[in-house]
């Protein structure tokens, strides 16, 4: 009973299940974005600052790929609320990480 | 008349039920974001402490990339297969859904196995324990917390497979599969940053 109901009624409930195509694209992009930093690091390409910038950029891009293609951030009825909660979370996260690094880097002087 | 009334009552109930499930999914999303902040604090701690090796082994000496690369691709693939499980669910194919969840759980278990072997190797062969240095305290706390999340997800996934087998695809089990796949993608995202910040920057 409940199974039959859920089928018709809840077809749009989650609303955010994507398609096989979006999962395959996301998976391929993730593989590429994992291989690029590996190649850069294992072959000692570029200078140190450039290397760090490249691998961090690839990680952030892969984060975005997973959000869009796997977690379907922009789909579904709650998309707006999900996005707002995520942005708030990221602001807190970046404040904690950047703030800690900043304070602790300058704190070395006070030894 | 009586029939119409019951029917109406039933519809109303179903509607509330649906709202309830989508609210629970949103609640889980908020939990994931707080979990993100938890990992953020662990990352900050690790990065601050990573130079303090106190005469113990350094990242370059400890990390063995082949195992780490295998772990990375295993977890990435399991993130993909948990997506395929959700697709199978929306097609209403219960056996396919349980099958993909089983594949995801097996990949997750191999990930945990590789990670535990890595830790055992570090502690027994290299004498690198959580108490050796600030760097290793940060390392084991950050990577261990992630591994614990994956292990917890495994138990949860096995429980969910049993439930699906028993009750089939209902509004409730549907929400649970949606939520666990979100959790699994989230763990993959955290691992990408562990891989980048801990391992790649460690062996640079």
């Amino acid at each position: 009973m409940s199974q039959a109901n859920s089928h018709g009624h809840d077809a749009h409930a989650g609303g955010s299940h994507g398609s096989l195509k979006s999962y395959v694209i996301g998976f391929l992009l993730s593989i590429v974005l994992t291989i690029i930093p590996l190649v850069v690091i294992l072959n000692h390409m570029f200078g140190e600052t450039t290397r760090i910038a490249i691998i961090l950029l690839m990680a952030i891009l892969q984060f975005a790929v997973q959000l869009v293609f796997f977690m379907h951030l922009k789909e579904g009825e709650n998309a707006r609320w999900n996005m707002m909660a995520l942005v708030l979370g990221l602001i807190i996260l970046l404040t904690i990480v950047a703030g800690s690094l900043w304070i602790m880097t300058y704190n070395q002087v006070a030894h | 008349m009586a029939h119409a009334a019951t029917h109406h009552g039933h519809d109303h109930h179903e509607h509330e039920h649906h709202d309830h499930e989508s609210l629970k999914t949103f609640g889980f999303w908020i939990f994931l974001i707080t979990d993100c902040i938890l990992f953020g604090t662990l990352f900050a701690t690790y990065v601050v402490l990573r130079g303090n090796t106190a005469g113990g082994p350094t990242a370059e000496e400890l990390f063995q990339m082949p195992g780490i690369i295998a772990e990375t691709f295993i977890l990435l693939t399991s993130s993909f297969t948990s997506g395929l499980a959700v697709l199978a669910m929306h097609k209403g194919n219960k056996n396919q859904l349980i099958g993909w969840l089983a594949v995801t759980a097996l990949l997750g278990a191999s990930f945990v196995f590789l990670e535990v072997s890595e830790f055992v190797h570090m502690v027994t062969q290299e004498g690198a324990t959580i108490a050796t240095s600030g760097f290793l305290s940060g390392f084991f706390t950050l990577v261990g917390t992630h591994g614990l999340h994956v292990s917890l997800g495994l138990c949860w996934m096995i429980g969910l497979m049993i439930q699906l087998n028993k009750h089939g695809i209902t509004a409730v089990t549907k929400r649970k599969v949606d939520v666990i796949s979100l959790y699994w993608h989230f763990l993959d995202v955290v691992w990408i940053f562990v891989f980048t910040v801990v391992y790649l920057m460690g062996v640079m």
Side-chain angles (χ1 to χ4, degrees):
Chain A
M1 176 71 184
S2 126
Q3 196 169 347
N5 262 326
S6 69
H7 197 74
H9 194 75
D10 277 307
H12 303 283
S16 50
H17 43 87
S19 62
L20 182 62
K21 203 176 131 197
S22 83
Y23 281 108
V24 172
I25 293 175
F27 186 47
L28 293 177
L29 281 176
S30 296
I31 289 179
V32 172
L33 289 172
T34 307
I35 289 176
I36 293 173
L38 263 177
V39 170
V40 168
I41 295 298
L42 295 181
N43 294 325
H44 306 286
M45 290 157 89
F46 312 110
E48 185 160 331
T49 321
T50 324
R51 263 190 279 172
I52 293 181
I54 290 176
I55 64 176
L56 279 180
L57 181 70
M58 292 304 143
I60 292 165
L61 280 180
Q62 194 166 339
F63 176 42
V65 164
Q66 299 247 347
L67 274 177
V68 173
F69 291 97
F70 286 177
M71 295 162 107
H72 314 291
L73 181 73
K74 290 155 98 178
E75 298 162 40
E77 53 192 316
N78 280 333
R80 211 174 116 81
W81 295 105
N82 286 349
M83 186 62 128
M84 280 161 79
L86 177 71
V87 169
L88 175 65
L90 287 180
I91 290 171
I92 298 174
L93 181 105
L94 288 174
T95 311
I96 292 171
V97 175
S100 302
L101 292 184
W102 186 42
I103 290 169
M104 292 311 289
T105 307
Y106 287 96
N107 195 29
Q108 308 281 328
V109 182
H111 273 313
Chain B
M1 182 66 181
H3 177 75
T6 8
H7 187 71
H8 180 76
H10 183 72
D11 264 4
H12 189 64
H13 174 73
E14 274 297 309
H15 186 67
E16 271 190 351
H17 193 58
H18 155 211
D19 278 354
H20 205 55
E21 297 304 329
S22 94
L23 198 62
K24 281 183 179 172
T25 308
F26 181 59
F28 190 79
W29 178 255
I30 292 186
F31 156 71
L32 281 186
I33 286 162
T34 60
D35 219 23
C36 234
I37 296 170
L38 163 78
F39 277 107
T41 60
L42 296 179
F43 270 106
T45 312
Y46 172 79
V47 174
V48 164
L49 292 175
R50 84 192 175 111
N52 304 1
T53 50
T58 62
E60 290 96 327
E61 292 161 9
L62 276 181
F63 298 157
Q64 291 174 332
M65 286 314 273
I68 307 304
I69 295 168
E71 281 174 43
T72 306
F73 281 103
I74 286 171
L75 206 62
L76 184 56
T77 311
S78 80
S79 186
F80 177 60
T81 56
S82 81
L84 294 181
V86 173
L87 280 183
M89 177 182 73
H90 286 285
K91 275 190 295 183
N93 192 335
K94 187 179 108 180
N95 291 334
Q96 213 182 347
L97 162 62
I98 296 179
W100 281 123
L101 282 182
V103 172
T104 309
L106 277 176
L107 289 167
S110 358
F111 172 88
V112 172
F113 173 77
L114 282 174
E115 185 159 85
V116 169
S117 338
E118 184 204 350
F119 281 8
V120 168
H121 175 81
M122 281 186 184
V123 172
T124 57
Q125 311 289 312
E126 317 268 358
T129 69
I130 193 165
T132 304
S133 63
F135 153 63
L136 284 166
S137 303
F139 169 81
F140 280 114
T141 311
L142 171 59
V143 183
T145 304
H146 177 267
L148 208 63
H149 273 75
V150 177
S151 314
L152 211 76
L154 278 179
C155 301
W156 179 11
M157 207 173 270
I158 292 165
L160 188 54
M161 284 191 282
I162 296 171
Q163 226 173 31
L164 279 167
N165 196 33
K166 209 169 160 188
H167 304 294
I169 303 172
T170 66
V172 174
T173 51
K174 225 173 193 172
R175 184 255 305 161
K176 289 184 178 175
V177 174
D178 273 334
V179 157
I180 204 170
S181 87
L182 271 183
Y183 181 72
W184 208 258
H185 296 317
F186 164 76
L187 290 183
D188 190 34
V189 167
V190 174
W191 180 257
I192 291 159
F193 283 92
V194 171
F195 175 66
T196 305
V197 173
V198 176
Y199 292 103
L200 287 180
M201 288 189 180
V203 298
M204 240 165 76

